[in-house]
Amino acid sequence: MKEKFFWRMLGGVRKILRGQGSNAWTIPVLFSVVLHTILVIGLFMIMPSSEERTINPTPSFVSARMVTLEPEAKPKAKPKPARKVAPKPKPVKAAPVKKAPPKPKVDKKSIALKRRQETERKQQEREKLRKEQERLDELQKQREQEMLAALAREQQARMQAEQLKGDQVAVATYAGVIKNLVESLWSRPASAKRGMKATFRIKMLPTGEVISISMISSSGNGAFDRSALQAIEKAQPFREIQHLESRLFDRDFREFRFVFDPRDLLK
Amino acid sequence: MRMLARSVRFALFGYLLLLVSLARAELTIEITQGNDQAVPVAVVPFSWNGKGVLPEDIAGIVGNDLRLSGQFAPLPNNQFLGFPSKDDEVYFGDWKRLGASYLVVGQVTEQPNNRYKVNYELFDVLGKKSVVRGEVSGNRNQLRSVAHNISDAVYQKITGVQGVFSTRIVYVVAKRYSIDRTDYKLVYADMDGYRAVPVLQSKEPILAPSWSPDGRKLAYVSFETGRPAIYIQELATGRRERISSFRGLNSAPKWSPDGKKIAMVLSKSGNPDIYVLDLATRTLTQVTRHFAMDNEPAWMPNGKSLVFTSNRGGSAQLYEVTLANGGVKRLTFEGRFNARARVFPDGKSLAFIHKGKGDESYNVAVQELGTGRMRILSSSPFEDAPDVSPNGRMLIYSAQGGGQGVLGIISADGRISFRLPSSEGDVREPAWSPFLQ
């Protein structure tokens, strides 16, 4: 039952995507998509949408552990149509067939004929009604399926959003741990000044070991660049990263950047 | 309606695209501050290819120089796992395990005619590569200079700032034999206090030595005639000239940055004021005119104004006077006593002696001119006569230690200070040379 419904729902979505759905569905679907888009845009406002997601706040490591404890706990978002399904179409009550007004009797034959005709007519009418009812049922079903699909999608998006938020906290926490480690070991040379900036791309193993550091942009001061490189070398391996779930490690820490930008210096 | 359906499809596609781009943004970790600990460096004793014993411990001198800068922490060599002297003998892993960020190795080779050739190489232990290598040579008496030369190269490479280990200092030593016999010496030494030689001796006080900007001459005050007069002395030849012996005070000479003038304090008009003497024309210009005592002039690097001490505001404070128009501006406001200023080479900060309200001690302080922010650098009870190294990273000053003056060196950030070894006697009034050729 569940599966059957799921397939039908998929069919409905496919129809819509192919543009074959009845026009009546377009508006609700459009509405739901707009809702989704708003949701996603909202998400982006929370999460900086710029090219580089720069992690600045430094959450404490304590919170990091809290986050780590619930890594895979969140189930993959599944469309859950089953529970709320009840796709039973409400039987549309056929409108009571109006009885023809009694006619004055003419003769038996004609009466019989008329009766026959009447029954035939009634039968035809009933047939027509039944068909109409069927079509209506079908439509109703489709509509409900569509609504459910939209609902499922929305739910999935919401769960994704929640997960994204959780991910963001986890990533920011570990980025903060790494940032603190490097900052505590960065000894700036005497020539370092505010405004100097050096960027490095790091490749890291899940063990926290840095396997490559390449300079993307130099500060223009060799001593400054070298001090930054030394700080990374001294701080690694970032063993703490082993507590981060591998999905997030792969996404954000297998390759990432360091920007050395000493804002606490004078001049 | 078709259009609508299409736009729906488009919107769905865009939504997917957004999710994808979200996933692909590269994580950037910003490192916005540092810890600036002294950099651990291993200076391995240099190998010696020659007869007898090498007269100087080159690596020891280099290590001590780097330590004095306050920016390096040389590792004790009893921890070393090996004593490489060439690049192919270096195992970076060993040095990393010791905690060294940098490694200095070298060899000394005896040459004919009592000369020595010294090869050195600096390695970045963490980056596992050579940073700089070089060769310096000299005779037996120049070995300390050779070592300071290597210190300068290492310092410059790691910090990006010119080193001052080849510069010199002068200071005055007073040795008291009895109530009416004290010997005064003007002493010339390496900045680490070694190789000290007297350039002037007198039974009367010597005060306020000041370097000419080319490092070849000194100006100072001597009481050798029984009253103060200002002299210029050429270091190489010992030739001297008296340039000022007016009635009253002749004190605190300070050479202008272009070397053509000397600022000084004269009281020939009855009250100490700042004057500038043009050395070529011997014309004297009065700079300050005030009934209070004006003292201890110091040139701003652009040569256009002087910083001086005055008690015109009721307590000793620092002021700046512009030579072109005589306009005076007060510079210090904190505390009861701020005096004897020296200007940093960048002209952005002053070093001086500060005594705070309620303080018992006189301490070396540094004030940023732009912000007026002042930091007290050191904390021994009685400090005097700070002077700034030509790279602006260190200060030298005199302090009271064991009842007599000793020289202290402190990093400009105030974090690390040392006492310099000095000969017996009361050591005062250090002056740090400019960069020397």
Side-chain angles (χ1 to χ4, degrees), chain B residues 37-52:
Chain B
Q37 291 295 316
V39 174
V41 55
V43 187
V44 181
F46 285 21
S47 72
W48 162 233
N49 317 307
K51 294 188 296 283

Side-chain angles (χ1 to χ4, degrees), chain B residues 133 154 208 252 369:
Chain B
R133 63 200 303 176
V154 168
L369 285 170

Side-chain angles (χ1 to χ4, degrees), chain A:
Chain A
M1 172 68 190
K2 236 191 246 176
E3 274 170 39
K4 213 171 158 191
F5 181 73
F6 180 74
W7 287 117
R8 259 197 234 155
M9 207 175 67
L10 247 176
V13 173
R14 230 180 281 141
K15 259 188 212 166
I16 299 248
L17 284 174
R18 279 202 304 262
Q20 285 174 354
S22 167
N23 290 343
W25 311 134
T26 312
I27 288 159
V29 169
L30 186 66
F31 181 66
S32 110
V33 166
V34 164
L35 270 180
H36 279 81
T37 315
I38 289 168
L39 189 78
V40 169
I41 288 168
L43 250 176
F44 267 73
M45 309 260 273
I46 299 162
M47 198 184 264
S49 62
S50 62
E51 275 261 334
E52 292 160 13
R53 276 178 301 129
T54 298
I55 306 292
N56 235 343
T58 312
S60 70
F61 191 45
V62 183
S63 65
R65 296 208 175 273
M66 284 169 58
V67 172
T68 5
L69 289 178
E70 44 155 359
E72 293 283 14
K74 273 168 200 149
K76 280 263 147 57
K78 286 181 219 146
K80 311 196 283 185
R83 215 163 359 108
K84 285 189 177 178
V85 168
K88 279 169 212 150
K90 278 174 209 153
V92 177
K93 279 257 153 61
V97 180
K98 270 186 190 153
K99 283 202 169 117
K103 276 180 182 168
K105 287 175 195 173
V106 187
D107 63 63
K108 267 200 177 162
K109 242 190 183 173
S110 65
I111 285 172
L113 186 75
K114 268 196 180 153
R115 224 175 244 161
R116 202 152 25 107
Q117 276 174 344
E118 179 83 350
T119 19
E120 257 171 38
R121 196 176 56 80
K122 269 188 186 164
Q123 232 166 7
Q124 272 171 7
E125 217 164 83
R126 225 176 273 141
E127 185 64 21
K128 215 174 105 193
L129 269 171
R130 198 177 57 79
K131 275 189 178 155
E132 213 160 272
Q133 177 68 49
E134 265 175 11
R135 236 185 71 216
L136 272 175
D137 283 0
E138 187 64 32
L139 279 176
Q140 180 75 11
K141 251 184 217 161
Q142 270 188 20
R143 189 179 286 156
E144 277 181 18
Q145 280 165 14
E146 196 41 55
M147 297 277 275
L148 278 167
L151 201 76
R153 275 201 304 274
E154 198 176 319
Q155 204 167 359
Q156 187 170 2
R158 201 180 306 122
M159 284 177 71
Q160 257 168 0
E162 253 164 48
Q163 178 145 28
L164 275 176
K165 211 170 151 195
D167 289 355
Q168 203 193 351
V169 171
V171 167
T173 303
Y174 283 94
V177 168
I178 291 175
K179 174 183 159 80
N180 284 346
L181 268 169
V182 175
E183 286 182 341
S184 72
L185 291 167
W186 186 24
S187 192
R188 282 85 55 96
S191 55
K193 289 191 168 59
R194 181 187 282 184
M196 287 182 179
K197 213 179 222 184
T199 308
F200 300 89
R201 174 168 288 121
I202 305 303
K203 284 186 185 155
M204 185 159 72
L205 298 178
T207 57
E209 214 170 312
V210 170
I211 48 169
S212 100
I213 309 173
S214 53
M215 187 158 69
I216 299 174
S217 67
S218 161
S219 66
N221 176 331
F224 182 98
D225 294 347
R226 201 176 309 112
S227 76
L229 265 165
Q230 286 213 341
I232 302 170
E233 283 285 3
K234 254 191 255 180
Q236 71 106 6
F238 302 107
R239 297 271 181 237
E240 294 78 359
I241 206 75
Q242 291 172 8
H243 302 292
L244 183 69
E245 63 178 293
S246 59
R247 176 178 59 85
L248 294 179
F249 175 84
D250 288 340
R251 197 190 71 183
D252 281 335
F253 289 97
R254 206 166 268 289
E255 254 187 84
F256 63 98
R257 286 177 190 217
F258 277 120
V259 175
F260 286 77
D261 176 13
R263 300 201 194 123
D264 58 333
L265 292 182
L266 299 169
K267 286 172 244 175

